[in-house]
Amino acid sequence: MPQNRRAVVLKLATAAYEMDLDVLRGHLHQNENGDWYLDKHPLAAWLAAHEGEELVLVLGSLQDDEEVEVRTCRTCGRDYTDLECPYCREGRIRLRGR
């Protein structure tokens, strides 16, 4: 997997984690009983904990070969491959006094 894409997927996971969302990372496998696990985490139990809730489930493979799309910022016109324009993000943080 290209490092840029891997970094973007991991940054997305970090953003979700910082929002106190449930984030799991690991290798997906199925045991002999047919139960799905992400490393040692049983997915059925994880999903059951959220039964009845409206969810957004995002799966990001860290092993695919897709390239990261280069986007052009609509504010400053620079090209970037991150989740958002890093130049404008830095400016927003600076202007907000953080």
Side-chain angles (χ1 to χ4, degrees):
M1 168 183 232
Q3 288 298 81
N4 278 347
R5 182 168 173 93
R6 182 179 176 89
V8 171
V9 170
L10 291 173
K11 206 173 266 194
L12 175 63
T14 300
Y17 181 79
E18 289 173 353
M19 293 175 57
D20 284 333
L21 301 177
D22 289 337
V23 177
L24 295 177
R25 178 182 173 186
H27 290 90
L28 182 66
H29 67 279
Q30 193 174 22
N31 68 7
E32 58 279 347
N33 297 331
D35 299 324
W36 287 100
Y37 284 81
L38 199 59
D39 281 342
K40 296 179 182 179
H41 305 284
L43 291 182
W46 185 73
L47 291 171
H50 297 284
E51 185 176 359
E53 298 177 21
E54 183 178 8
L55 302 173
V56 174
L57 182 63
V58 177
L59 294 174
S61 174
L62 296 176
Q63 297 177 345
D64 64 16
D65 292 331
E66 287 189 42
E67 292 292 323
V68 175
E69 178 184 347
V70 177
R71 296 181 240 171
T72 302
C73 180
R74 294 181 181 183
T75 303
C76 70
R78 292 184 173 122
D79 290 338
Y80 64 98
T81 57
D82 218 338
L83 296 174
E84 62 182 338
C85 176
Y87 305 101
C88 291
R89 181 178 189 281
E90 185 179 305
R92 282 193 306 275
I93 290 170
R94 188 177 63 252
L95 291 171
R96 291 179 184 155
R98 294 184 187 170

